[in-house]
Amino acid sequence: MTTTSTDKIVRPTAGRSALPAPKYPRVFGVGRGRLVQYGVFILLALFVLAPIVPILYQSFRDRPLYEAGGILTADNYGKLFTDAGFGQVILNTAIFAFGTTVLTLLIAIPMAVLVVRTRLPFGRLLGLSMQWPFFISSLILGFGWITLYGPAGFVSVQFRQLLGFVPWNLYSLGGMAVTEAVGLAPIAYVFCANALRQSDASLESAARVCGAGPLRILFQVVVPMLRPPIVYSSILIFSMSLETLSVPLLYGTPVRIEVFSTFLYTNGLQSISPDYGILGAASTLILAVTIGTVAIQAKVLKNAQRFISVRGKATRPRLLDLGWIRWIAVVAIVIYIIFGALLPILGLIFRSFTMIFTPLQNPFESLTLSNYERVFTFPVYVQSITNSIVVAVVGAILVSVLALLAVLVARRSPFKFARSVEYLALAPQAMPGIIVGIGFFWAFALTPGGGWIQGTLVAVIIAFGLRALPTAFGSIAPAIMQIGNELDNAARTSGADWFGTFFRILRTLLRPAFVGAIILVFVTMMKEYSAALFLSSANTGVIGTTMLDLWVQGNTGSVASLATIQIAITAVFVAVASLFMKGHTDA
Amino acid sequence: MPEVKVSGLHKKFGDVTVLNDINFTIREGEFFTLLGPSGCGKSTTLNCIAGLETPSSGAITVDGVPFVDTHKKLYVPTEERNLGMVFQSYALWPHMSVEANLVMPLAIRKASKEEKSVRIHEALETVGLSHLKDRYPHQLSGGQQQRVALARALVYSPSVLLLDEPLSNLDAKLREQSRAWLKRLQVELGITTVYVTHDQDEALSLSDRIAVMFDGQMAQIGTPAEIYEKPATAAVAAFVGSCNFFTGRLEGHHGGIALVRLDNSGILVKVASALTLDKGDAVTVAVRPERLSITSRTADVTGANVLETTVLTRSYVGSRYEYGLKLGTNVVQVISPSGDLDGAVRLVFEAEDALLYAGSSVPSAEAAELMTVAS
Ligand SMILES: Nc1ncnc2c1ncn2[C@@H]1O[C@H](COP(=O)(O)OP(=O)(O)O)[C@@H](O)[C@H]1O
Ligand SMILES: [Mg+2]
């Protein structure tokens, strides 16, 4: 019996005099916790508004915003549609985004159902292999696809030899949508797979008891449960394809198909005298669209979450047996993984070690390291590699710290503007990288004394950091929700103030989530490049911008070698960081 | 040991009023319990005292020191109130050993090294766990965790101890033992204690005084005996202990005795009451099962109220029997020491055994339905 030993009550503690509660210093009548909360709020507001405000301002100004004496006008919006042909751009973007969304769902939904709910050979392995896009940027995926399936690609040439023609055209809206869908499918897959894993198995058991066969159960019980994640992920995919730059840039530029992001790219960077008014107006309209879709997405997620997180039930749904159909399923998934991701990436890596990459000539005969040599003989290229690493490391730490503070304020403080802090931290989701780049470029130009920052790595870190902030916030927030609020309250009653509670209690408990956020942000920032197009100078390019430069010069071998280097850096970092994290959580 | 004074406490979450004009004063060294069904606002009240919630309006002082006063825009943050609190989930910091959990409040108060070790030793001795100081929370049983949480709340000798359903996560047997232990501990320490529970047995056995709350309103404050014997409302009578309720109409009133005609059977009963009501008013008669006695038809009985009934059910509940009797359309619950009664019996009670409430205030429709039979 546990209580018997306590029957004797020894010298009561109350015999001692009370230890007085600590007194905390106040600044202007508020504690340090409140100061931190206001600090985080103001910093986030500045961070998010800095690129938006100049864009809005520029869109209504008749000349570049750093030129004196401008007048406010709405002419830019008119010119955008008449001179600049923005209408066609909107149409292209809509077709591309819609096509991408549909194709993504066509790949992701069957795959999720098959992997999670049916007995598949190598099911676990197939599920795990859906994580690949986390490591690979869509720019690299685009290069890979062109290497294989482009007009002069390895596979295309093979087909031309066999058939006399190539049955597809990669450089089209359709080709863009297919490539983008292959890259985005894993995101939709994750949402659907989670919903399927958490759904209640008893519904299925009930259907089984009623004598329903596996196919019937699949279509009548399992698939309807997927509606919320499908709605959510289609809006997410749609808004991501509205802002993506890589694939439309690589495929669309040679054939002059423009979408939102490439319109900004060509008008802002490639024209000799960019029309700032048009640039501002286009950016404003695009921002309005992306913010709209992200707002819908947030609203849908709120409803969907109720559906997705049916927790607490440990009943594992029984896996359905599809018989011979499962082999077709496996083949389809393997084709997706091999031809969609594995071969293009491997092809690109292989390309980096050859002079020429075509089926017309045995590539093993021209094995060489000269692609790498070229990269390493030019200091600017080497510099871009170190820049990428510096930006990713410094950015990962800074952004994770900021995200951690934002999560604490948003989810664990009585702060008046806690909700606004959360919205601010998530808002950059709706801000396309290229617009972030334009916005900060103008913001630095407008800020008195802000000129020194222009073209430095600091500018690049700030812009990439803003883009990565929602990712970091999203990875820390669930972790803090797992920690009971009563742990904070116990610390408060024990005498720790809001700040002390974090340093004494939450800091240790949140460490795994924090390290996780650092890894995630590192990988995100390693892949990022679009915001740097406007912001970096000759010495402050990153791997992505250098790859684009080399690509435009037709230097595909060096592009392939830089892509290989980027993949290698990411893989090594993730491996080391995961090991480190494992060692720490075990201790 | 200080006194705690709560006055005019209101709390709203958005549009929902969760606390509505809560007032009470807890005397020095008193064991004071907030009792009520779950969701009635007990924890919110306790959290207002602790400073974890800020009231929408109202004032709280402890030992004459104002902790919060919405009129004067005054608010002392939780960490400066020096209260000890034990939470329902115990809230032990999972990454710290028992000792480290206790060190923390002392470290915050910059206690010297000796002071720390003396106090931790004493606090753990008090709860009988000094041999477990190097364990981690997950290596302890629920009862041990609860006592560590108590030791952590006591280690800095706080002025007031706040306990939010500390026993509710223990299993039934252990809960009873812990209850007795907690009572002894509190008496020994003499610390002013505010205790929150929805368990009436716990409240009755532990408390010096109880405050019964419903829906954010204070229903009654009194000693356990007062709450049980003289519940201020039918709702209190129903919540604390079990009770039979019969609706009826007042037929007359003289000399402190009311005559009530019961709706269920048309029988006239006498009930002692100081209520001033008019003839014909709807009233509710409440009688506790153990205040009723049953005799066989053949026995000679005297009493203010002798009612003819029949036995519907009888069950042995350990050392006594619980009967279900049919009185008109109602089932009446009676506790009796004898287990051999059956068939037609008499139900007997004095006018003073019953309580009278104005209006037909049957506690819940569902309970009323369960207590109804076809006549
Ligand atoms: N943070 C909150 N926001 C909104 N409503 C709350 C919050 N905390 C408590 N409530 C509501 O206030 C009421 C009283 O809660 P509580 O004081 O915890 O009840 P008790 O402890 O008596 O079970 C409940 O209806 C609860 O839903
Ligand atoms: Mg409660």
Coordinates of all heavy atoms in Angstrom, one line a residue, chain A residues 480-516:
Chain A
I480 N 4.4 22.3 -29.4 CA 4.1 23.0 -28.2 C 2.7 22.6 -27.8 O 2.3 22.6 -26.6 CB 4.2 24.5 -28.3 CG1 4.6 25.1 -27.0 CG2 3.0 25.2 -28.9 CD1 5.2 26.5 -27.0
M481 N 1.8 22.3 -28.7 CA 0.5 21.9 -28.3 C 0.5 20.5 -27.6 O -0.5 20.2 -26.9 CB -0.4 21.8 -29.6 CG -0.6 23.1 -30.3 SD -0.9 24.5 -29.3 CE -2.6 24.4 -29.1
Q482 N 1.6 19.8 -27.8 CA 1.7 18.5 -27.1 C 2.1 18.7 -25.6 O 1.9 17.7 -24.8 CB 2.8 17.6 -27.8 CG 2.6 17.3 -29.2 CD 1.7 16.1 -29.4 OE1 1.9 15.1 -28.8 NE2 0.7 16.3 -30.3
I483 N 2.6 19.8 -25.3 CA 3.0 20.1 -23.9 C 1.9 20.7 -23.2 O 1.4 21.8 -23.5 CB 4.3 21.0 -23.9 CG1 5.4 20.4 -24.7 CG2 4.7 21.3 -22.5 CD1 6.6 21.3 -24.9
G484 N 1.4 20.0 -22.1 CA 0.2 20.5 -21.4 C 0.4 21.9 -20.9 O 1.5 22.2 -20.4
N485 N -0.6 22.7 -21.0 CA -0.6 24.0 -20.5 C -0.3 24.1 -18.9 O 0.2 25.0 -18.4 CB -1.9 24.7 -20.8 CG -1.8 26.2 -20.9 OD1 -0.7 26.7 -20.9 ND2 -2.9 26.9 -21.0
E486 N -0.7 23.0 -18.3 CA -0.5 23.0 -16.8 C 0.9 23.0 -16.4 O 1.3 23.5 -15.3 CB -1.2 21.8 -16.2 CG -2.8 21.9 -16.3 CD -3.5 20.9 -15.3 OE1 -2.9 19.9 -15.0 OE2 -4.6 21.2 -15.0
L487 N 1.8 22.5 -17.3 CA 3.3 22.6 -17.0 C 3.7 24.1 -16.9 O 4.5 24.4 -16.0 CB 4.1 21.9 -18.0 CG 3.9 20.4 -18.1 CD1 4.9 19.8 -19.1 CD2 4.1 19.7 -16.8
D488 N 3.2 24.9 -17.8 CA 3.5 26.3 -17.7 C 2.9 26.9 -16.4 O 3.5 27.7 -15.7 CB 2.8 27.1 -18.9 CG 3.4 26.7 -20.2 OD1 3.8 25.6 -20.3 OD2 3.4 27.6 -21.1
N489 N 1.6 26.6 -16.2 CA 0.9 27.1 -15.0 C 1.7 26.8 -13.7 O 1.8 27.6 -12.8 CB -0.5 26.7 -15.0 CG -1.3 27.3 -16.0 OD1 -0.9 28.3 -16.6 ND2 -2.5 26.8 -16.3
A490 N 2.2 25.5 -13.7 CA 2.9 25.1 -12.5 C 4.1 25.9 -12.3 O 4.5 26.3 -11.2 CB 3.2 23.6 -12.6
A491 N 4.8 26.2 -13.4 CA 6.0 27.1 -13.3 C 5.6 28.5 -12.9 O 6.3 29.1 -12.0 CB 6.7 27.1 -14.6
R492 N 4.5 29.0 -13.4 CA 4.1 30.4 -13.0 C 3.8 30.4 -11.5 O 4.3 31.3 -10.8 CB 2.9 30.8 -13.8 CG 3.1 30.9 -15.3 CD 4.1 31.9 -15.7 NE 3.7 33.3 -15.3 CZ 2.9 34.0 -16.1 NH1 2.4 33.6 -17.2 NH2 2.6 35.2 -15.7
T493 N 3.0 29.5 -11.0 CA 2.7 29.5 -9.6 C 4.0 29.3 -8.7 O 4.1 29.8 -7.6 CB 1.6 28.5 -9.2 OG1 2.0 27.2 -9.7 CG2 0.3 28.9 -9.7
S494 N 4.9 28.6 -9.3 CA 6.2 28.3 -8.5 C 7.0 29.6 -8.5 O 8.0 29.6 -7.8 CB 7.0 27.2 -9.1 OG 6.3 26.0 -9.1
G495 N 6.7 30.6 -9.3 CA 7.4 31.8 -9.2 C 8.2 32.2 -10.5 O 8.9 33.2 -10.5
A496 N 8.0 31.5 -11.6 CA 8.7 31.8 -12.8 C 7.8 32.8 -13.6 O 6.6 32.5 -13.7 CB 9.0 30.6 -13.6
D497 N 8.4 33.8 -14.2 CA 7.5 34.7 -15.0 C 7.4 34.1 -16.4 O 8.0 33.0 -16.6 CB 8.1 36.1 -15.1 CG 9.4 36.2 -15.7 OD1 10.1 35.2 -15.9 OD2 9.9 37.3 -15.9
W498 N 6.7 34.7 -17.3 CA 6.5 34.1 -18.7 C 7.8 33.7 -19.3 O 8.0 32.7 -19.9 CB 5.8 35.1 -19.5 CG 5.4 34.6 -20.9 CD1 4.4 33.7 -21.2 CD2 6.1 34.9 -22.1 NE1 4.5 33.5 -22.6 CE2 5.5 34.2 -23.1 CE3 7.2 35.7 -22.4 CZ2 5.9 34.2 -24.5 CZ3 7.6 35.8 -23.8 CH2 6.9 35.0 -24.8
F499 N 8.8 34.6 -19.2 CA 10.1 34.4 -19.8 C 10.8 33.3 -19.1 O 11.4 32.4 -19.8 CB 10.9 35.7 -19.8 CG 11.8 35.8 -20.9 CD1 11.4 35.9 -22.2 CD2 13.2 35.8 -20.6 CE1 12.3 36.0 -23.2 CE2 14.1 36.0 -21.6 CZ 13.7 36.1 -22.9
G500 N 10.8 33.3 -17.8 CA 11.4 32.3 -17.0 C 10.8 30.9 -17.3 O 11.6 29.9 -17.3
T501 N 9.5 30.8 -17.5 CA 8.9 29.6 -17.8 C 9.5 28.9 -19.0 O 9.8 27.8 -19.1 CB 7.4 29.8 -18.0 OG1 6.8 30.3 -16.8 CG2 6.7 28.5 -18.3
F502 N 9.7 29.8 -20.0 CA 10.4 29.3 -21.2 C 11.8 28.8 -20.9 O 12.1 27.6 -21.3 CB 10.4 30.3 -22.3 CG 11.3 29.9 -23.5 CD1 10.9 28.9 -24.3 CD2 12.5 30.6 -23.7 CE1 11.7 28.5 -25.3 CE2 13.3 30.2 -24.7 CZ 12.9 29.1 -25.5
F503 N 12.6 29.6 -20.2 CA 13.9 29.2 -20.1 C 14.1 28.0 -19.1 O 15.0 27.2 -19.3 CB 14.8 30.4 -19.6 CG 15.4 31.1 -20.7 CD1 14.8 32.3 -21.2 CD2 16.5 30.6 -21.4 CE1 15.3 32.9 -22.3 CE2 17.0 31.3 -22.5 CZ 16.4 32.4 -22.9
R504 N 13.2 27.9 -18.1 CA 13.4 26.8 -17.2 C 12.7 25.5 -17.5 O 13.2 24.5 -17.2 CB 13.0 27.3 -15.8 CG 13.9 28.3 -15.2 CD 13.2 28.9 -13.9 NE 14.0 30.0 -13.4 CZ 15.1 29.9 -12.6 NH1 15.5 28.7 -12.2 NH2 15.7 31.0 -12.2
I505 N 11.6 25.6 -18.2 CA 10.8 24.4 -18.5 C 10.7 24.1 -20.0 O 11.2 23.1 -20.5 CB 9.4 24.6 -18.0 CG1 9.4 25.0 -16.5 CG2 8.6 23.4 -18.2 CD1 9.9 23.9 -15.6
L506 N 10.2 25.0 -20.8 CA 9.8 24.7 -22.2 C 11.0 24.5 -23.0 O 11.0 23.7 -24.0 CB 8.9 25.8 -22.7 CG 7.6 26.0 -22.1 CD1 6.8 27.1 -22.7 CD2 6.8 24.6 -22.2
R507 N 12.1 25.2 -22.7 CA 13.3 25.2 -23.6 C 13.7 23.7 -23.8 O 14.0 23.3 -24.9 CB 14.4 26.0 -22.9 CG 15.6 26.2 -23.9 CD 16.6 27.1 -23.2 NE 16.9 26.6 -21.9 CZ 18.1 26.8 -21.3 NH1 19.0 27.6 -21.9 NH2 18.3 26.4 -20.1
T508 N 13.9 23.0 -22.7 CA 14.3 21.6 -22.8 C 13.3 20.8 -23.6 O 13.6 19.9 -24.4 CB 14.6 21.0 -21.4 OG1 15.2 22.0 -20.6 CG2 15.4 19.8 -21.5
L509 N 12.0 21.0 -23.2 CA 11.0 20.1 -23.8 C 10.8 20.4 -25.3 O 10.4 19.5 -26.0 CB 9.6 20.4 -23.1 CG 9.6 20.0 -21.6 CD1 8.3 20.4 -21.0 CD2 9.8 18.5 -21.5
L510 N 11.2 21.6 -25.7 CA 11.0 22.0 -27.1 C 12.2 21.7 -28.0 O 12.2 21.9 -29.2 CB 10.6 23.4 -27.2 CG 9.1 23.8 -26.9 CD1 8.9 25.3 -26.9 CD2 8.2 23.1 -27.8
R511 N 13.3 21.3 -27.3 CA 14.5 21.2 -28.1 C 14.4 20.3 -29.3 O 14.9 20.7 -30.4 CB 15.7 20.7 -27.2 CG 17.0 20.8 -27.9 CD 18.2 20.4 -27.0 NE 18.3 21.3 -25.9 CZ 18.7 21.0 -24.7 NH1 19.0 19.7 -24.4 NH2 18.9 21.9 -23.8
P512 N 13.8 19.1 -29.2 CA 13.7 18.3 -30.4 C 12.9 19.0 -31.6 O 13.4 18.9 -32.7 CB 12.9 17.0 -30.0 CG 13.1 17.0 -28.5 CD 13.2 18.4 -28.0
A513 N 11.9 19.7 -31.2 CA 11.1 20.4 -32.2 C 11.9 21.5 -32.8 O 11.9 21.8 -34.0 CB 9.8 20.9 -31.6
F514 N 12.7 22.1 -32.0 CA 13.6 23.2 -32.5 C 14.6 22.7 -33.5 O 14.8 23.3 -34.5 CB 14.2 23.9 -31.3 CG 15.0 25.1 -31.6 CD1 14.4 26.3 -32.1 CD2 16.4 25.1 -31.5 CE1 15.2 27.4 -32.4 CE2 17.2 26.2 -31.8 CZ 16.5 27.4 -32.3
V515 N 15.3 21.6 -33.1 CA 16.3 21.1 -34.0 C 15.6 20.6 -35.3 O 16.1 20.8 -36.4 CB 17.0 19.9 -33.3 CG1 17.9 19.2 -34.3 CG2 17.8 20.3 -32.1
G516 N 14.4 20.0 -35.2 CA 13.6 19.6 -36.3 C 13.4 20.8 -37.2 O 13.5 20.8 -38.5

